[in-house]
Amino acid sequence: MAAHFLFLALLALASSHAIASDPSQLQDFCVADLHSDVFVNGFFCKDPKMAKAEDFFFSGLDKPRDTGNKLGSNVTLVDVNKLAGLNTLGISLARLDFAPYGLNPPHTHPRGTEILVVLEGTLYVGFVTSNPNNQLFTKVLHEGDVFVFPQGLIHFQFNNGKTSAVAFSGLSSQNPGLITIANAVFGAKPPISDEVLAKAFQLDKKTVDWLQAQFWMDNNN
């Protein structure tokens, strides 16, 4: 009986790791076949004999991005869709550019934890824990400072300075996903019922209708 329980415990532990993380590689690498017509959890590998250095290479993160939008920010994500060699490796990278007072609005990454380092300027950052506490953790970051945003929690970055800011983030998934809260709630297609949102946010329907009529932009590319 003890051996049976030990087996179940080990199986549960192994299952939790399998469910909670990206698929692990069973060989040196698994370059994604981005053109396969077969849909799987992740990507099929292309023949390792056909791999080349370009499969593991991305260029251009040294260049500032355009922040001339309503949010005043621009996020350049390098995930498996842009760098096929990331397939099964469980990591990705992003460059974040901010105009003065630019914002990367509240959002979540459902499949990855994020660790951010500021290279230029200052950023006011934070995340909110899950229900029921909804505790807010914030910090003002300066050049060289690092902050971590746990997987799935709502978080943000705001340039509270008068100069531009630049940061880089590492994420613990080849495809961490992105849910921008305002876009998802008020920009859903088709739209969420204004009656539902009015009750959820304790607003009148006219305010909800106005919010849903706005252009909810995406600052990721």
Side-chain angles (χ1 to χ4, degrees), residues 125-219:
V125 305
F127 67 85
V128 180
T129 63
S130 55
N131 296 356
N133 294 331
N134 300 131
Q135 184 176 356
L136 174 64
F137 291 86
T138 64
K139 193 75 175 174
V140 175
L141 306 183
H142 304 277
E143 294 179 10
D145 288 346
V146 175
F147 199 82
V148 65
F149 307 97
Q151 179 174 336
L153 297 187
I154 295 174
H155 60 283
F156 62 87
Q157 298 100 16
F158 175 62
N159 180 6
N160 59 350
K162 297 180 180 179
T163 61
S164 298
V166 179
F168 274 78
S169 287
L171 298 113
S172 63
S173 171
Q174 67 182 39
N175 184 23
L178 174 67
I179 302 173
T180 304
I181 307 307
N183 299 37
V185 173
F186 296 109
K189 299 174 184 177
I192 300 172
S193 164
D194 58 1
E195 186 174 1
V196 170
L197 294 181
K199 188 153 188 138
F201 289 93
Q202 296 298 290
L203 300 170
D204 61 78
K205 289 186 180 180
K206 288 184 178 179
T207 301
V208 171
D209 292 340
W210 180 84
L211 287 168
Q212 290 181 316
Q214 304 310 300
F215 172 70
W216 297 99
M217 66 159 296
D218 183 4
N219 65 338

Coordinates of all heavy atoms in Angstrom, one line a residue, residues 125-219:
V125 N 6.7 49.8 -11.8 CA 6.1 48.5 -12.2 C 5.3 47.9 -11.1 O 5.5 48.3 -9.9 CB 7.2 47.6 -12.7 CG1 8.1 48.2 -13.8 CG2 8.1 47.2 -11.5
G126 N 4.5 47.0 -11.4 CA 3.8 46.3 -10.3 C 3.0 45.1 -10.8 O 2.7 45.0 -12.0
F127 N 2.5 44.3 -9.9 CA 1.6 43.2 -10.2 C 0.6 43.0 -9.0 O 0.8 43.5 -7.9 CB 2.3 41.9 -10.5 CG 3.0 41.3 -9.3 CD1 2.4 40.4 -8.4 CD2 4.4 41.5 -9.1 CE1 3.0 39.9 -7.3 CE2 5.1 40.9 -8.0 CZ 4.4 40.1 -7.1
V128 N -0.5 42.4 -9.3 CA -1.6 42.2 -8.4 C -1.8 40.7 -8.2 O -1.9 40.0 -9.2 CB -2.9 42.8 -8.9 CG1 -4.0 42.6 -7.8 CG2 -2.7 44.3 -9.1
T129 N -1.9 40.3 -6.9 CA -2.1 38.9 -6.7 C -3.6 38.5 -6.9 O -4.5 39.3 -7.1 CB -1.8 38.5 -5.2 OG1 -2.7 39.3 -4.3 CG2 -0.4 38.9 -4.9
S130 N -3.8 37.2 -6.9 CA -5.2 36.7 -7.2 C -6.1 36.9 -6.1 O -5.7 37.3 -5.0 CB -5.0 35.2 -7.6 OG -4.4 34.5 -6.5
N131 N -7.4 36.6 -6.3 CA -8.4 36.7 -5.3 C -8.1 35.7 -4.2 O -7.5 34.7 -4.4 CB -9.8 36.3 -5.9 CG -10.2 37.3 -7.0 OD1 -9.6 38.3 -7.3 ND2 -11.3 37.0 -7.6
P132 N -8.5 36.0 -2.9 CA -9.3 37.2 -2.5 C -8.5 38.4 -2.1 O -9.1 39.5 -1.9 CB -10.1 36.6 -1.3 CG -9.1 35.7 -0.7 CD -8.4 35.1 -1.8
N133 N -7.2 38.3 -2.0 CA -6.4 39.4 -1.5 C -6.2 40.6 -2.4 O -6.2 41.7 -2.1 CB -5.1 38.9 -1.0 CG -5.2 38.0 0.2 OD1 -6.1 38.1 1.0 ND2 -4.3 37.0 0.3
N134 N -6.0 40.2 -3.7 CA -5.7 41.3 -4.7 C -4.7 42.3 -4.2 O -4.8 43.5 -4.4 CB -7.0 42.0 -5.1 CG -8.0 41.0 -5.7 OD1 -9.2 41.0 -5.3 ND2 -7.6 40.2 -6.7
Q135 N -3.6 41.8 -3.7 CA -2.5 42.7 -3.1 C -1.7 43.2 -4.3 O -1.3 42.5 -5.2 CB -1.7 41.9 -2.1 CG -0.6 42.8 -1.5 CD 0.2 42.0 -0.4 OE1 -0.1 40.9 -0.1 NE2 1.1 42.7 0.2
L136 N -1.4 44.5 -4.2 CA -0.6 45.2 -5.2 C 0.9 45.3 -4.7 O 1.1 45.8 -3.6 CB -1.1 46.6 -5.5 CG -0.3 47.5 -6.4 CD1 -0.2 46.9 -7.8 CD2 -0.9 48.9 -6.4
F137 N 1.8 44.8 -5.5 CA 3.2 44.9 -5.3 C 3.8 45.9 -6.3 O 3.7 45.6 -7.5 CB 4.0 43.6 -5.3 CG 3.6 42.6 -4.2 CD1 2.5 41.8 -4.3 CD2 4.4 42.6 -3.1 CE1 2.2 40.9 -3.3 CE2 4.1 41.7 -2.0 CZ 3.0 40.9 -2.2
T138 N 4.4 47.0 -5.9 CA 5.0 47.9 -6.8 C 6.4 48.3 -6.5 O 6.8 48.2 -5.3 CB 4.2 49.2 -6.9 OG1 4.2 49.9 -5.6 CG2 2.7 48.9 -7.3
K139 N 7.1 48.8 -7.5 CA 8.5 49.3 -7.3 C 8.9 50.2 -8.4 O 8.5 50.1 -9.5 CB 9.5 48.1 -7.3 CG 10.9 48.4 -6.8 CD 10.9 48.5 -5.3 CE 12.3 48.7 -4.8 NZ 12.4 48.9 -3.3
V140 N 9.7 51.3 -8.0 CA 10.2 52.1 -9.1 C 11.6 51.6 -9.4 O 12.5 51.5 -8.5 CB 10.3 53.6 -8.6 CG1 11.1 54.5 -9.6 CG2 9.0 54.2 -8.3
L141 N 11.8 51.2 -10.7 CA 13.1 50.6 -11.1 C 13.9 51.6 -11.8 O 13.4 52.5 -12.6 CB 12.8 49.5 -12.0 CG 11.8 48.4 -11.5 CD1 11.7 47.3 -12.6 CD2 12.3 47.8 -10.2
H142 N 15.2 51.6 -11.6 CA 16.2 52.4 -12.2 C 17.1 51.5 -13.1 O 17.0 50.3 -13.1 CB 17.0 53.2 -11.2 CG 16.2 54.0 -10.3 ND1 15.7 55.3 -10.7 CD2 15.6 53.8 -9.1 CE1 15.0 55.8 -9.7 NE2 14.9 54.9 -8.7
E143 N 18.0 52.1 -13.8 CA 18.9 51.3 -14.7 C 19.6 50.2 -13.9 O 20.2 50.5 -12.8 CB 19.9 52.3 -15.3 CG 19.3 53.3 -16.3 CD 20.3 54.2 -16.9 OE1 21.5 54.0 -16.8 OE2 19.9 55.2 -17.6
G144 N 19.5 49.0 -14.4 CA 20.2 47.9 -13.8 C 19.3 47.1 -12.8 O 19.7 46.1 -12.4
D145 N 18.1 47.7 -12.5 CA 17.2 47.0 -11.5 C 16.5 45.9 -12.2 O 16.1 46.0 -13.4 CB 16.3 48.0 -10.9 CG 16.9 49.0 -10.0 OD1 18.1 48.7 -9.5 OD2 16.3 50.0 -9.6
V146 N 16.1 44.9 -11.5 CA 15.4 43.7 -12.0 C 14.1 43.5 -11.2 O 14.1 43.7 -9.9 CB 16.3 42.5 -11.9 CG1 15.5 41.2 -12.3 CG2 17.6 42.7 -12.8
F147 N 13.1 43.1 -11.8 CA 11.8 42.8 -11.2 C 11.2 41.6 -11.8 O 11.3 41.4 -13.1 CB 10.9 44.0 -11.3 CG 9.7 44.0 -10.3 CD1 10.0 44.5 -9.0 CD2 8.5 43.6 -10.6 CE1 8.9 44.5 -8.0 CE2 7.4 43.6 -9.7 CZ 7.7 44.0 -8.4
V148 N 10.5 40.7 -11.0 CA 9.9 39.5 -11.6 C 8.4 39.6 -11.5 O 7.8 40.1 -10.4 CB 10.4 38.3 -10.9 CG1 10.1 38.2 -9.5 CG2 9.9 37.0 -11.7
F149 N 7.7 39.2 -12.5 CA 6.2 39.1 -12.5 C 5.8 37.7 -12.6 O 6.0 37.0 -13.6 CB 5.6 39.9 -13.7 CG 6.2 41.3 -13.8 CD1 7.2 41.6 -14.6 CD2 5.6 42.4 -13.1 CE1 7.7 42.9 -14.7 CE2 6.1 43.7 -13.1 CZ 7.1 44.0 -14.0
P150 N 5.2 37.1 -11.5 CA 4.8 35.7 -11.6 C 3.8 35.4 -12.7 O 2.9 36.2 -13.0 CB 4.2 35.5 -10.2 CG 4.8 36.6 -9.3 CD 4.9 37.7 -10.2
Q151 N 3.9 34.2 -13.1 CA 3.0 33.7 -14.2 C 1.5 33.9 -13.9 O 1.0 33.6 -12.9 CB 3.3 32.2 -14.5 CG 2.4 31.6 -15.6 CD 2.8 30.2 -15.9 OE1 3.9 29.8 -15.6 NE2 1.9 29.4 -16.4
G152 N 0.9 34.5 -14.9 CA -0.6 34.6 -14.9 C -1.1 35.8 -14.1 O -2.3 36.0 -14.2
L153 N -0.3 36.5 -13.4 CA -0.8 37.6 -12.6 C -0.8 38.9 -13.4 O 0.1 39.2 -14.3 CB 0.1 37.8 -11.4 CG 0.1 36.7 -10.4 CD1 0.8 37.1 -9.1 CD2 -1.3 36.2 -10.0
I154 N -1.8 39.8 -13.2 CA -1.9 41.0 -13.9 C -0.8 41.9 -13.4 O -0.5 42.1 -12.2 CB -3.3 41.7 -13.5 CG1 -4.4 40.9 -14.1 CG2 -3.3 43.1 -14.1 CD1 -5.8 41.4 -13.6
H155 N -0.1 42.5 -14.4 CA 1.0 43.4 -14.1 C 1.1 44.5 -15.2 O 0.4 44.5 -16.2 CB 2.3 42.6 -14.1 CG 2.7 41.9 -15.3 ND1 2.1 40.7 -15.7 CD2 3.6 42.2 -16.3 CE1 2.6 40.3 -16.9 NE2 3.5 41.2 -17.3
F156 N 2.0 45.5 -14.9 CA 2.1 46.7 -15.8 C 3.5 47.3 -15.6 O 4.2 47.0 -14.7 CB 1.1 47.7 -15.4 CG 1.2 48.3 -14.0 CD1 2.0 49.3 -13.7 CD2 0.5 47.7 -13.0 CE1 2.2 49.8 -12.4 CE2 0.6 48.1 -11.6 CZ 1.5 49.2 -11.4
Q157 N 3.9 48.1 -16.6 CA 5.1 48.9 -16.5 C 4.8 50.3 -17.0 O 4.1 50.5 -18.1 CB 6.2 48.3 -17.4 CG 6.7 46.9 -17.0 CD 6.0 45.8 -17.8 OE1 5.5 46.1 -18.9 NE2 6.1 44.6 -17.3
F158 N 5.2 51.3 -16.3 CA 4.9 52.7 -16.6 C 6.1 53.6 -16.5 O 6.8 53.5 -15.5 CB 3.8 53.3 -15.6 CG 3.5 54.7 -15.8 CD1 3.0 55.2 -17.0 CD2 3.7 55.6 -14.8 CE1 2.7 56.6 -17.2 CE2 3.4 57.0 -14.9 CZ 2.9 57.5 -16.1
N159 N 6.4 54.3 -17.5 CA 7.6 55.2 -17.5 C 7.1 56.5 -16.8 O 6.5 57.4 -17.4 CB 8.1 55.5 -18.9 CG 9.3 56.4 -19.0 OD1 9.8 56.8 -17.9 ND2 9.7 56.8 -20.2
N160 N 7.5 56.7 -15.6 CA 7.1 57.9 -14.8 C 8.2 59.0 -14.9 O 8.2 59.9 -14.1 CB 6.8 57.5 -13.4 CG 8.0 56.9 -12.7 OD1 9.0 56.6 -13.3 ND2 8.0 56.7 -11.4
G161 N 9.1 58.9 -15.9 CA 10.1 59.9 -16.1 C 9.9 60.8 -17.3 O 9.0 60.5 -18.1
K162 N 10.7 61.8 -17.4 CA 10.6 62.8 -18.5 C 11.4 62.4 -19.7 O 11.5 63.1 -20.7 CB 11.0 64.2 -18.0 CG 10.1 64.7 -17.0 CD 10.5 66.1 -16.5 CE 9.6 66.6 -15.4 NZ 10.0 68.0 -14.9
T163 N 12.1 61.3 -19.6 CA 13.0 60.8 -20.7 C 12.5 59.4 -21.1 O 11.8 58.7 -20.4 CB 14.4 60.7 -20.4 OG1 14.6 59.8 -19.2 CG2 15.0 62.1 -20.0
S164 N 12.9 58.9 -22.3 CA 12.6 57.6 -22.8 C 13.2 56.5 -21.8 O 14.1 56.8 -21.1 CB 13.0 57.4 -24.2 OG 12.4 58.3 -25.1
A165 N 12.6 55.3 -21.9 CA 13.0 54.2 -21.1 C 13.1 53.0 -22.0 O 12.3 52.8 -22.9 CB 12.2 54.0 -19.9
V166 N 14.0 52.1 -21.7 CA 14.2 50.8 -22.4 C 14.4 49.7 -21.4 O 15.1 49.9 -20.4 CB 15.4 50.8 -23.3 CG1 15.5 49.5 -24.1 CG2 15.2 52.0 -24.4
A167 N 13.7 48.6 -21.6 CA 13.9 47.4 -20.7 C 13.8 46.2 -21.6 O 13.4 46.2 -22.7 CB 12.8 47.4 -19.7
F168 N 14.4 45.1 -21.0 CA 14.3 43.8 -21.7 C 13.7 42.8 -20.7 O 13.9 42.9 -19.5 CB 15.7 43.3 -22.1 CG 16.2 43.8 -23.4 CD1 16.6 45.1 -23.6 CD2 16.1 43.0 -24.5 CE1 17.0 45.5 -24.8 CE2 16.5 43.4 -25.8 CZ 17.0 44.7 -25.9
S169 N 12.9 41.9 -21.2 CA 12.3 40.9 -20.4 C 12.6 39.5 -20.9 O 12.6 39.3 -22.1 CB 10.7 41.1 -20.4 OG 10.4 42.2 -19.6
G170 N 12.8 38.6 -20.0 CA 12.9 37.2 -20.3 C 11.6 36.5 -19.8 O 11.1 36.9 -18.7
L171 N 11.1 35.6 -20.6 CA 9.8 34.9 -20.2 C 10.0 33.4 -20.3 O 10.7 32.9 -21.1 CB 8.7 35.3 -21.1 CG 8.4 36.8 -21.1 CD1 8.7 37.5 -22.4 CD2 6.9 37.0 -20.7
S172 N 9.3 32.7 -19.3 CA 9.6 31.2 -19.1 C 8.7 30.4 -20.0 O 8.2 29.3 -19.6 CB 9.4 30.9 -17.7 OG 8.0 31.1 -17.3
S173 N 8.5 30.8 -21.3 CA 7.8 30.0 -22.2 C 8.2 30.4 -23.6 O 8.5 31.6 -23.9 CB 6.3 30.2 -22.0 OG 5.5 29.6 -23.1
Q174 N 8.2 29.4 -24.5 CA 8.4 29.8 -25.9 C 7.3 30.6 -26.5 O 7.5 31.2 -27.5 CB 8.6 28.5 -26.7 CG 7.3 27.7 -26.9 CD 7.6 26.4 -27.6 OE1 8.6 25.7 -27.5 NE2 6.6 26.0 -28.5
N175 N 6.1 30.5 -25.9 CA 4.9 31.3 -26.3 C 4.1 31.7 -25.1 O 3.1 31.0 -24.8 CB 4.1 30.4 -27.3 CG 2.9 31.1 -27.9 OD1 2.9 32.3 -28.0 ND2 1.9 30.3 -28.3
P176 N 4.6 32.7 -24.4 CA 3.9 33.0 -23.1 C 2.5 33.5 -23.2 O 1.8 33.5 -22.2 CB 4.9 34.1 -22.5 CG 5.5 34.7 -23.8 CD 5.7 33.6 -24.7
G177 N 2.1 34.0 -24.3 CA 0.7 34.5 -24.5 C 0.6 35.9 -23.9 O 1.4 36.3 -23.1
L178 N -0.4 36.6 -24.3 CA -0.7 38.0 -23.8 C -2.2 38.2 -23.7 O -2.9 38.0 -24.7 CB 0.0 39.0 -24.7 CG -0.3 40.4 -24.4 CD1 0.3 40.9 -23.1 CD2 0.2 41.3 -25.5
I179 N -2.7 38.7 -22.6 CA -4.0 39.1 -22.4 C -4.0 40.5 -21.8 O -3.6 40.7 -20.7 CB -4.9 38.2 -21.5 CG1 -4.9 36.8 -22.0 CG2 -6.3 38.8 -21.3 CD1 -5.5 35.8 -21.0
T180 N -4.3 41.5 -22.7 CA -4.3 42.9 -22.2 C -5.7 43.1 -21.6 O -6.7 42.9 -22.3 CB -4.0 43.9 -23.3 OG1 -2.8 43.6 -23.9 CG2 -4.0 45.3 -22.8
I181 N -5.8 43.5 -20.4 CA -7.1 43.4 -19.6 C -8.2 44.3 -20.3 O -9.3 43.8 -20.6 CB -6.9 43.9 -18.2 CG1 -5.8 43.0 -17.5 CG2 -8.2 43.7 -17.4 CD1 -6.0 41.5 -17.6
A182 N -7.8 45.6 -20.6 CA -8.8 46.5 -21.2 C -9.3 46.0 -22.5 O -10.5 46.0 -22.9 CB -8.3 47.9 -21.3
N183 N -8.3 45.5 -23.3 CA -8.7 45.0 -24.7 C -9.6 43.8 -24.6 O -10.6 43.7 -25.3 CB -7.4 44.6 -25.4 CG -6.5 45.7 -25.6 OD1 -6.3 46.6 -24.8 ND2 -5.8 45.8 -26.8
A184 N -9.3 42.9 -23.7 CA -10.1 41.6 -23.6 C -11.5 41.9 -23.1 O -12.4 41.3 -23.5 CB -9.4 40.7 -22.6
V185 N -11.6 42.8 -22.1 CA -12.9 43.1 -21.5 C -13.8 44.0 -22.4 O -14.9 43.7 -22.6 CB -12.7 43.7 -20.1 CG1 -14.1 44.2 -19.5 CG2 -12.0 42.8 -19.1
F186 N -13.2 45.1 -22.8 CA -14.0 46.1 -23.6 C -13.8 46.0 -25.1 O -14.6 46.6 -25.8 CB -13.7 47.5 -23.1 CG -14.0 47.7 -21.7 CD1 -13.1 47.9 -20.7 CD2 -15.4 47.8 -21.3 CE1 -13.4 48.1 -19.4 CE2 -15.7 48.1 -20.0 CZ -14.7 48.2 -19.0
G187 N -12.9 45.2 -25.5 CA -12.6 45.1 -27.0 C -12.9 43.7 -27.5 O -12.5 43.3 -28.6
A188 N -13.6 42.8 -26.7 CA -13.9 41.5 -27.2 C -14.7 41.5 -28.5 O -15.5 42.3 -28.7 CB -14.6 40.7 -26.1
K189 N -14.5 40.5 -29.3 CA -15.2 40.3 -30.6 C -15.8 38.9 -30.6 O -15.0 37.9 -30.7 CB -14.2 40.6 -31.7 CG -13.6 42.0 -31.7 CD -12.6 42.1 -32.8 CE -11.9 43.5 -32.7 NZ -10.9 43.7 -33.8
P190 N -17.1 38.8 -30.7 CA -18.1 39.9 -30.5 C -18.1 40.4 -29.1 O -17.5 39.8 -28.2 CB -19.4 39.1 -30.8 CG -19.1 37.7 -30.4 CD -17.7 37.5 -30.8
P191 N -18.6 41.6 -28.9 CA -18.5 42.3 -27.6 C -19.3 41.5 -26.5 O -20.3 40.9 -26.7 CB -19.2 43.6 -27.8 CG -20.0 43.5 -29.0 CD -19.4 42.4 -29.9
I192 N -18.7 41.6 -25.3 CA -19.4 41.1 -24.1 C -20.7 42.0 -23.9 O -20.6 43.2 -24.1 CB -18.5 41.1 -22.9 CG1 -17.2 40.3 -23.1 CG2 -19.2 40.7 -21.6 CD1 -16.2 40.4 -22.0
S193 N -21.7 41.4 -23.5 CA -23.0 42.1 -23.2 C -22.7 43.3 -22.3 O -22.1 43.2 -21.2 CB -24.0 41.1 -22.6 OG -25.0 41.9 -22.0
D194 N -23.2 44.5 -22.7 CA -23.1 45.6 -21.9 C -23.8 45.5 -20.5 O -23.4 46.1 -19.5 CB -23.5 46.9 -22.6 CG -25.0 46.9 -23.0 OD1 -25.7 45.9 -22.8 OD2 -25.4 47.8 -23.7
E195 N -24.8 44.6 -20.5 CA -25.5 44.4 -19.2 C -24.6 43.6 -18.2 O -24.5 43.9 -17.0 CB -26.8 43.6 -19.5 CG -27.6 43.4 -18.2 CD -28.9 42.7 -18.5 OE1 -29.2 42.4 -19.7 OE2 -29.7 42.5 -17.6
V196 N -23.8 42.7 -18.8 CA -22.8 41.9 -18.0 C -21.8 42.9 -17.4 O -21.4 42.9 -16.2 CB -22.2 40.8 -18.8 CG1 -21.0 40.2 -18.0 CG2 -23.3 39.7 -19.1
L197 N -21.2 43.7 -18.3 CA -20.1 44.6 -17.9 C -20.6 45.7 -17.0 O -19.9 46.1 -16.0 CB -19.4 45.2 -19.1 CG -18.7 44.2 -20.0 CD1 -18.0 44.9 -21.2 CD2 -17.6 43.4 -19.2
A198 N -21.8 46.2 -17.2 CA -22.3 47.2 -16.3 C -22.5 46.7 -14.9 O -22.1 47.4 -13.9 CB -23.7 47.7 -16.9
K199 N -22.9 45.5 -14.8 CA -23.1 44.9 -13.5 C -21.8 44.6 -12.8 O -21.5 44.8 -11.6 CB -24.0 43.7 -13.5 CG -24.3 43.1 -12.2 CD -25.7 42.4 -12.2 CE -26.1 42.0 -10.8 NZ -27.5 42.2 -10.5
A200 N -20.8 44.0 -13.6 CA -19.5 43.6 -13.1 C -18.7 44.8 -12.6 O -18.1 44.7 -11.6 CB -18.7 42.9 -14.2
F201 N -18.8 45.9 -13.4 CA -18.0 47.1 -13.0 C -18.8 48.2 -12.3 O -18.3 49.3 -12.0 CB -17.3 47.7 -14.3 CG -16.2 46.9 -14.8 CD1 -16.5 45.9 -15.8 CD2 -14.9 47.0 -14.3 CE1 -15.5 45.1 -16.3 CE2 -13.9 46.2 -14.8 CZ -14.2 45.3 -15.8
Q202 N -20.1 47.9 -12.1 CA -21.0 48.9 -11.4 C -21.0 50.2 -12.1 O -20.8 51.3 -11.6 CB -20.5 49.1 -9.9 CG -20.7 47.8 -9.1 CD -22.1 47.3 -9.0 OE1 -22.9 48.0 -8.3 NE2 -22.4 46.2 -9.6
L203 N -21.2 50.1 -13.4 CA -21.3 51.3 -14.3 C -22.7 51.3 -15.0 O -23.4 50.2 -15.0 CB -20.2 51.2 -15.4 CG -18.7 51.2 -14.9 CD1 -17.8 50.9 -16.1 CD2 -18.4 52.5 -14.3
D204 N -23.0 52.4 -15.5 CA -24.2 52.4 -16.3 C -23.9 52.0 -17.8 O -22.8 52.0 -18.2 CB -24.9 53.8 -16.4 CG -23.9 54.9 -17.0 OD1 -23.8 54.9 -18.2 OD2 -23.3 55.6 -16.2
K205 N -24.9 51.5 -18.5 CA -24.7 50.9 -19.8 C -24.1 51.9 -20.8 O -23.4 51.5 -21.7 CB -26.0 50.3 -20.3 CG -26.5 49.1 -19.6 CD -27.7 48.5 -20.3 CE -28.2 47.2 -19.6 NZ -29.4 46.6 -20.2
K206 N -24.5 53.2 -20.7 CA -23.9 54.2 -21.6 C -22.4 54.3 -21.5 O -21.7 54.4 -22.5 CB -24.6 55.5 -21.3 CG -26.0 55.6 -21.8 CD -26.6 57.0 -21.6 CE -28.0 57.1 -22.1 NZ -28.6 58.5 -21.9
T207 N -21.9 54.2 -20.2 CA -20.5 54.3 -20.0 C -19.8 53.0 -20.6 O -18.8 53.1 -21.3 CB -20.2 54.4 -18.5 OG1 -20.8 55.5 -18.0 CG2 -18.7 54.4 -18.3
V208 N -20.4 51.9 -20.4 CA -19.9 50.6 -21.0 C -19.9 50.7 -22.5 O -18.9 50.3 -23.2 CB -20.7 49.4 -20.5 CG1 -20.3 48.1 -21.3 CG2 -20.5 49.2 -19.0
D209 N -21.0 51.2 -23.1 CA -21.1 51.3 -24.5 C -20.0 52.2 -25.1 O -19.4 51.9 -26.1 CB -22.5 51.8 -25.0 CG -23.6 50.8 -24.7 OD1 -23.3 49.6 -24.5 OD2 -24.8 51.2 -24.6
W210 N -19.8 53.3 -24.3 CA -18.7 54.2 -24.8 C -17.4 53.6 -24.7 O -16.5 53.7 -25.6 CB -18.7 55.5 -23.9 CG -17.7 56.5 -24.3 CD1 -17.8 57.4 -25.2 CD2 -16.4 56.6 -23.7 NE1 -16.6 58.2 -25.3 CE2 -15.7 57.7 -24.4 CE3 -15.7 55.9 -22.7 CZ2 -14.4 58.0 -24.1 CZ3 -14.3 56.3 -22.5 CH2 -13.7 57.4 -23.1
L211 N -17.1 52.8 -23.7 CA -15.8 52.1 -23.5 C -15.6 51.1 -24.6 O -14.5 50.9 -25.2 CB -15.7 51.4 -22.2 CG -15.5 52.4 -21.0 CD1 -15.7 51.6 -19.7 CD2 -14.1 53.0 -21.0
Q212 N -16.7 50.4 -25.0 CA -16.6 49.4 -26.0 C -16.4 50.0 -27.4 O -15.9 49.3 -28.3 CB -17.9 48.5 -26.0 CG -17.9 47.6 -24.7 CD -19.2 46.7 -24.7 OE1 -20.3 47.1 -25.0 NE2 -19.0 45.4 -24.4
A213 N -16.8 51.2 -27.5 CA -16.7 51.9 -28.8 C -15.3 52.4 -29.1 O -14.9 52.8 -30.2 CB -17.7 53.0 -29.0
Q214 N -14.4 52.4 -28.0 CA -13.1 53.0 -28.2 C -12.2 52.0 -29.0 O -12.5 50.8 -29.1 CB -12.5 53.3 -26.8 CG -13.3 54.2 -25.9 CD -13.7 55.5 -26.7 OE1 -12.8 56.2 -27.1 NE2 -15.0 55.7 -26.8
F215 N -11.1 52.5 -29.5 CA -10.1 51.7 -30.2 C -9.1 51.2 -29.1 O -8.3 52.0 -28.6 CB -9.4 52.5 -31.3 CG -8.3 51.7 -31.9 CD1 -8.5 50.6 -32.7 CD2 -6.9 52.1 -31.7 CE1 -7.5 49.9 -33.3 CE2 -5.9 51.4 -32.3 CZ -6.2 50.3 -33.1
W216 N -9.1 49.9 -28.9 CA -8.2 49.3 -27.9 C -7.0 48.8 -28.6 O -7.0 47.7 -29.2 CB -8.9 48.2 -27.1 CG -10.1 48.8 -26.3 CD1 -11.4 48.8 -26.6 CD2 -10.0 49.5 -25.1 NE1 -12.1 49.4 -25.7 CE2 -11.3 49.9 -24.7 CE3 -8.9 49.9 -24.2 CZ2 -11.6 50.7 -23.6 CZ3 -9.2 50.7 -23.1 CH2 -10.5 51.0 -22.8
M217 N -5.9 49.6 -28.6 CA -4.8 49.2 -29.4 C -3.9 48.2 -28.8 O -3.9 48.0 -27.6 CB -4.0 50.5 -29.7 CG -3.3 51.1 -28.5 SD -2.0 52.2 -29.0 CE -0.8 51.0 -29.7
D218 N -3.1 47.6 -29.6 CA -2.1 46.6 -29.2 C -0.7 47.2 -29.4 O -0.4 47.6 -30.6 CB -2.3 45.3 -30.0 CG -1.4 44.2 -29.6 OD1 -0.6 44.4 -28.6 OD2 -1.4 43.1 -30.3
N219 N 0.1 47.2 -28.4 CA 1.4 47.8 -28.5 C 2.5 46.7 -28.7 O 3.7 47.0 -28.6 CB 1.8 48.6 -27.3 CG 1.9 47.8 -26.0 OD1 1.3 46.7 -25.9 ND2 2.6 48.3 -25.0

